[in-house]
Amino acid sequence: MLDNVQIEELIKEQEDIVRELEAAKESKEKIAEEVAKLLELKAQLNNEENITNDTHKFVLKTPKGTRDYTPHQMVIRQRVLEKVVSVFKRHGAESIDTPVFELKEVLMGKYGEDSKLIYDLEDQGGEILCLRYDLTVPFARYLAMNKITNIKRYHIAKVYRRDNPSISRGRYREFYQCDFDIAGAYDPMIPDAECVKIMQEILDSLDIGSYTIKLNHRLLLDGMFEACGVPNDKFRSICSAVDKLDK
């Protein structure tokens, strides 16, 4: 079978033949015969190009573990977030934003065995970067860098995890987190109680019906680990494993 280059050469030769016949004022029948050959070669070339294009076609889709949101879905999301933010503001919270990527050294070692789920980026201008895994570590970096000791902040933004996605279970590689944090020195349990109160106000404002708020406390979990004889340097990795269990 002839390839495109060979067919194009034959087309050029056939075009020359047709021009020579026309210049020599040959009979219409002879010219028509050679023109038919020329058209046949051009049709063959078009078929070859279509086959080549079909071979290189790819399926348009979103990357694994991501999705698009329709205008209707975005309207619903926006209404929900407006109610959430209004509760945050009512409790005196301020909004911040941080880069979608951080220095790798800032993120690594902060998530125990889940560090393997962090998206590494190629060397960008002499800096080794990663996509943010959550909003908590960037918040801690923000506080330390700006020497902030007291703040109530909320942050709603996308985070990224190089996990095995499960769309049916709502597990994505790109998804939104909604964080509310109270940083500073307060009486014991006061910030914790306020966070529970905020959750209650948000769920009430969304009118989702009856609900149950379940609590877990890191210090209680650490106490259990200590009672079981777990070494201190293993707390974080075991905590990460427990975190995957149904609460």
Side-chain angles (χ1 to χ4, degrees):
M1 180 179 287
L2 298 175
D3 59 27
N4 287 2
V5 175
Q6 292 172 318
I7 296 174
E8 287 173 352
E9 288 296 325
L10 290 175
I11 288 174
K12 290 179 182 178
E13 293 176 5
Q14 192 64 26
E15 287 174 341
D16 291 338
I17 292 173
V18 171
R19 279 194 291 269
E20 290 173 1
L21 291 175
E22 290 175 339
K25 296 183 180 180
E26 292 285 345
S27 65
K28 292 182 179 179
E29 292 77 15
K30 180 65 174 176
I31 294 175
E33 181 180 349
E34 297 302 321
V35 168
K37 292 179 182 179
L38 175 61
L39 294 175
E40 184 179 352
L41 286 171
K42 288 185 176 181
Q44 187 176 345
L45 178 63
N46 289 334
N47 289 336
E48 288 295 322
E49 289 177 344
N50 289 335
I51 292 173
T52 301
N53 290 336
D54 289 340
T55 303
H56 291 89
K57 277 184 179 178
F58 62 92
V59 178
L60 286 173
K61 66 183 188 69
T62 59
K64 188 177 180 182
T66 64
R67 59 170 294 182
D68 293 322
Y69 290 89
T70 65
H72 175 68
Q73 291 170 324
M74 289 303 298
V75 167
I76 296 173
R77 167 180 282 179
Q78 194 60 41
R79 288 176 180 171
V80 170
L81 291 181
E82 285 173 358
K83 292 183 178 181
V84 172
V85 169
S86 69
V87 174
F88 290 160
K89 289 182 176 179
R90 191 158 62 240
H91 283 260
E94 302 173 289
S95 177
I96 69 166
D97 195 16
T98 60
V100 71
F101 48 82
E102 295 274 354
L103 293 173
K104 184 174 182 178
E105 60 191 32
V106 171
L107 298 184
M108 299 307 291
K110 307 298 191 302
Y111 303 104
E113 64 177 19
D114 285 343
S115 292
K116 65 180 181 293
L117 302 180
I118 295 175
Y119 271 103
D120 281 335
L121 301 178
E122 294 291 336
D123 184 355
Q124 301 292 327
E127 294 185 328
I128 308 300
L129 308 173
C130 295
L131 291 178
R132 61 187 176 202
Y133 176 88
D134 64 10
L135 302 177
T136 304
V137 172
F139 177 49
R141 189 266 308 152
Y142 172 84
L143 294 179
M145 193 175 77
N146 293 284
K147 296 180 173 56
I148 297 172
T149 56
N150 287 76
I151 188 175
K152 284 184 182 180
R153 87 85 169 86
Y154 69 90
H155 191 184
I156 303 172
K158 287 182 177 180
V159 297
Y160 301 87
R161 298 188 181 179
R162 193 164 51 86
D163 201 354
N164 290 322
S166 176
I167 306 303
S168 61
R169 296 172 60 188
R171 179 187 295 168
Y172 293 86
R173 287 179 169 175
E174 178 192 62
F175 56 94
Y176 273 94
Q177 279 196 341
C178 179
D179 276 23
F180 178 93
D181 286 285
I182 303 174
Y186 300 88
D187 291 336
M189 302 304 294
I190 296 299
D192 304 78
E194 184 173 7
C195 287
V196 176
K197 175 63 175 172
I198 288 171
M199 178 60 69
Q200 175 252 316
E201 290 180 16
I202 289 173
L203 295 175
D204 286 346
S205 70
L206 295 176
D207 194 22
I208 64 172
S210 60
Y211 58 85
T212 301
I213 298 177
K214 296 183 178 181
L215 303 178
N216 65 78
H217 200 291
R218 177 65 182 273
L219 292 179
L220 292 176
L221 194 59
D222 287 350
M224 294 178 188
F225 291 160
E226 187 174 354
C228 293
V230 176
N232 290 340
D233 61 345
K234 299 294 184 182
F235 276 20
R236 188 174 294 277
S237 58
I238 294 180
C239 182
S240 178
V242 172
D243 188 53
K244 292 180 172 58
L245 299 175
D246 184 10
K247 300 297 188 295

